[in-house]
Amino acid sequence: MDKRTELIEIATKLFSERGFENTPLSIVCETANVSKGLIAHHFKSKNGLLREIFQRTTDLIVEMNTIDSVSLSARERLLQLLESFFSQLQSDKLFFQFNLNMMVQPSTREVLADLIEERSSFILKATRNIFDEIDPENSLVKSHLFIAELDGIALSYLGVYKEFPLEQTKEQLIMKYSMI
Amino acid sequence: MDKRTELIEIATKLFSERGFENTPLSIVCETANVSKGLIAHHFKSKNGLLREIFQRTTDLIVEMNTIDSVSLSARERLLQLLESFFSQLQSDKLFFQFNLNMMVQPSTREVLADLIEERSSFILKATRNIFDEIDPENSLVKSHLFIAELDGIALSYLGVYKEFPLEQTKEQLIMKYSMI
DNA sequence: TTACAAACTGAACGTACGTGCAGTCAGTAA
DNA sequence: TTACTGACTGCACGTACGTTCAGTTTGTAA
C-alpha cells in the first residue's frame, strides 16, 4: 500500500485510541516503519496530518448521507439514518471516538475550527431536510434534538457506560420515530 | 483566600478552557502567582490536582441530585432535574466543557477511571430511581436515553453548534416529559 | 544514460514541560 | 528561645517531542 495512505490509517487509529495530544509522532512512525521526516514531507506537520484525517472522515459522513436521499419519504429516510448510525456505531467505535475527541478537546477544535464548522453545518442541513417534510414549524429544534440524541448515545456507549443497552435503545428510537 | 483552593479554582478554569494536556503547570502557577513546588506540595503531581478537581465536580453533581428527592412525584423530580440541568448549562458552560473533556479524552479517562465509574453509576442510579416509578419495565433503557439526551445537548450547545436553540429545546423536552 | 522530481532517511536542534529537591520563611507549642 | 512543622520558593535535571534539513534512494520521462 501507498505509504501515505498507510500513514493516514495508522495515525487515525492511534489518534482515536490515545487522543491526538497523547500520541507523539514517534509512535506513529514506529508503527508505520517510517521516519519522522516522511510525515513532514507528506503532511507538512502533525497538525497537517490531523486536518487531512479529519477531512477524510467528513467526506465519509457526507457520502453516507447523500447516497440514498432519492425517492424516499422523510420517515423512511429518518429510519434509514438511524439504521446506518447504529450499525456504524457497533462496527467502528474508533470512528466515533475520534470525532468526539476532536470536537471536545479545545486544542484540536482550534486547529480544525473551519473543518468542524463545515461538517456540522452540512449535518444540520441534511437532517433539517428531513424534518422540514415532517414538521416544518419546528424543524430546526427537532433537527438539533435528533442530532444531540445520537451524539449523546455515542458518548454514553463509547466510554461512560460499559453496559449501555445499545440494542434496546435502538428499538426505542426506531419506535419513537416510526410514529412521528 | 487559601492558596490551595485558589489553585483548584484557577486550574479548573484553565483545564476547562484549554484542556488538561494543553495546560502546562507553568501557566497555572503564573496565573495563581505561586511556584511549581507548591503544586507538588499540595497535590503531589499534575494528575493529583486533576483528580481532586474532578472529585469536587462529582461532589457538586451528587449534591445537586440529592437535595430535593423527598416527597415529590417522579414526574415532578424529572422536570426539576431538567430545570437545574438547563440553568446550569447556561450559567456555567465551563463546568460541562470540563466534564466532557475528561470523559472523552483517553489519557484523562485513564487517570480518572475509578472516579468516572463512581460518578456515572451514581447518575444512572439516581435517574433510574425516577423512571422506576414511571415505567419499571423499561426504566434502564429510558434512563440511559435520558442521560444521553442531556449529554448530547450539552455537547451540541457547547461547541459544535454556535446557534443551538437552547430555549426551544428546553421547552420541547419539558413538554415531552410532562406527558410521560 | 542522463536528468530531475518525489519519496524517504537519520540525526540534530531547540524547547517545553513535569518532577525532585535543597533551602527559606512563618507560625506555634514547649 | 528552641524546636518542630507545614507552606512555599526557585532552580536544575531529565527527557520527550515537533521540526528542520542535508543527504540518499527510487521512479520516470527524455
Side-chain angles (χ1 to χ4, degrees):
Chain A
M1 197 198 315
D2 191 4
K3 272 292 174 200
R4 194 173 191 280
T5 58
E6 197 186 332
L7 268 172
I8 288 179
E9 286 182 14
I10 285 173
T12 304
K13 187 150 181 293
L14 288 172
F15 289 169
S16 306
E17 287 168 349
R18 319 180 23 124
F20 178 67
E21 315 254 16
N22 205 38
T23 309
L25 286 185
S26 56
I27 291 186
V28 179
C29 295
E30 226 168 88
T31 313
N33 276 316
V34 299
S35 67
K36 286 188 189 178
L38 188 59
I39 289 184
H41 175 67
H42 281 307
F43 309 102
K44 221 174 142 62
S45 68
K46 197 187 178 190
N47 281 351
L49 173 56
L50 179 65
R51 284 179 60 86
E52 175 132 0
I53 289 177
F54 190 83
Q55 185 57 57
R56 290 204 167 205
T57 68
T58 298
D59 293 345
L60 220 132
I61 290 174
V62 171
E63 197 185 333
M64 272 176 47
N65 274 63
T66 40
I67 20 172
D68 43 23
S69 59
V70 266
S71 78
L72 288 176
S73 76
R75 184 185 298 119
E76 284 169 327
R77 274 182 284 154
L78 205 54
L79 293 179
Q80 196 173 31
L81 220 157
L82 279 177
E83 280 295 345
S84 73
F85 168 78
F86 278 100
S87 86
Q88 176 81 1
L89 185 54
Q90 276 176 308
S91 67
D92 195 356
K93 276 193 174 194
L94 282 187
F95 177 85
F96 290 87
Q97 179 74 42
F98 175 79
N99 286 305
L100 272 176
N101 237 300
M102 297 304 121
M103 302 291 193
V104 169
Q105 182 75 7
S107 54
T108 53
R109 231 165 65 183
E110 203 177 333
V111 176
L112 303 170
D114 53 331
L115 303 182
I116 290 178
E117 160 66 24
E118 196 186 333
R119 175 197 291 193
S120 51
S121 78
F122 167 83
I123 291 178
L124 181 59
K125 209 185 296 175
T127 311
R128 204 166 173 192
N129 262 340
I130 298 179
F131 281 99
D132 266 340
E133 254 174 74
I134 296 171
D135 179 5
E137 192 82 14
N138 302 306
S139 69
L140 181 67
V141 189
K142 291 201 171 170
S143 302
H144 273 297
L145 206 44
F146 180 75
I147 294 169
E149 208 165 24
L150 297 194
D151 284 348
I153 288 169
L155 187 63
S156 283
Y157 175 61
L158 240 67
V160 189
Y161 295 100
K162 299 162 306 187
E163 312 276 336
F164 190 86
L166 196 62
E167 266 313 318
Q168 286 116 297
T169 304
K170 180 179 169 185
E171 282 168 27
Q172 280 273 332
L173 280 193
I174 287 181
M175 228 170 64
K176 169 174 158 189
Y177 286 106
S178 296
M179 305 187 305
I180 217 165
Chain B
M1 195 201 313
D2 191 5
K3 271 293 174 199
R4 194 173 191 281
T5 58
E6 198 186 331
L7 267 172
I8 288 179
E9 286 182 14
I10 285 173
T12 304
K13 187 152 181 291
L14 288 171
F15 289 169
S16 306
E17 288 168 349
R18 318 177 26 121
F20 178 68
E21 314 254 17
N22 205 39
T23 309
L25 286 185
S26 57
I27 291 186
V28 179
C29 295
E30 225 169 87
T31 313
N33 276 316
V34 299
S35 68
K36 286 187 189 177
L38 189 59
I39 289 184
H41 175 67
H42 281 307
F43 308 103
K44 224 175 138 64
S45 68
K46 196 187 179 190
N47 281 351
L49 175 56
L50 179 65
R51 284 180 61 86
E52 175 133 359
I53 290 177
F54 190 82
Q55 185 58 56
R56 290 202 166 207
T57 69
T58 298
D59 294 344
L60 220 133
I61 290 174
V62 171
E63 198 185 333
M64 273 176 48
N65 274 65
T66 40
I67 22 172
D68 44 22
S69 60
V70 265
S71 78
L72 287 177
S73 76
R75 186 185 296 120
E76 284 168 327
R77 278 183 282 154
L78 204 54
L79 293 178
Q80 198 173 30
L81 220 156
L82 280 176
E83 281 294 345
S84 73
F85 168 79
F86 277 99
S87 85
Q88 176 81 1
L89 185 55
Q90 275 176 307
S91 67
D92 195 357
K93 276 191 173 193
L94 282 187
F95 177 85
F96 289 88
Q97 179 73 45
F98 175 79
N99 286 305
L100 273 175
N101 237 300
M102 296 305 121
M103 303 291 193
V104 168
Q105 183 74 7
S107 54
T108 54
R109 231 164 66 183
E110 202 177 334
V111 176
L112 302 170
D114 53 333
L115 303 181
I116 291 178
E117 160 64 24
E118 196 186 332
R119 174 196 291 193
S120 52
S121 78
F122 167 83
I123 292 179
L124 182 58
K125 209 186 294 174
T127 311
R128 202 164 175 192
N129 262 340
I130 299 178
F131 281 99
D132 267 340
E133 254 174 73
I134 296 172
D135 179 4
E137 192 82 13
N138 302 305
S139 70
L140 181 67
V141 188
K142 290 200 171 170
S143 303
H144 272 296
L145 205 44
F146 181 76
I147 294 169
E149 208 164 24
L150 296 194
D151 283 349
I153 288 169
L155 187 64
S156 283
Y157 175 60
L158 240 67
V160 188
Y161 294 99
K162 299 162 306 185
E163 313 274 337
F164 189 86
L166 195 62
E167 267 313 318
Q168 288 116 297
T169 304
K170 181 180 168 183
E171 282 168 28
Q172 280 273 333
L173 279 193
I174 287 181
M175 227 170 65
K176 167 174 160 190
Y177 285 107
S178 297
M179 305 187 305
I180 218 166

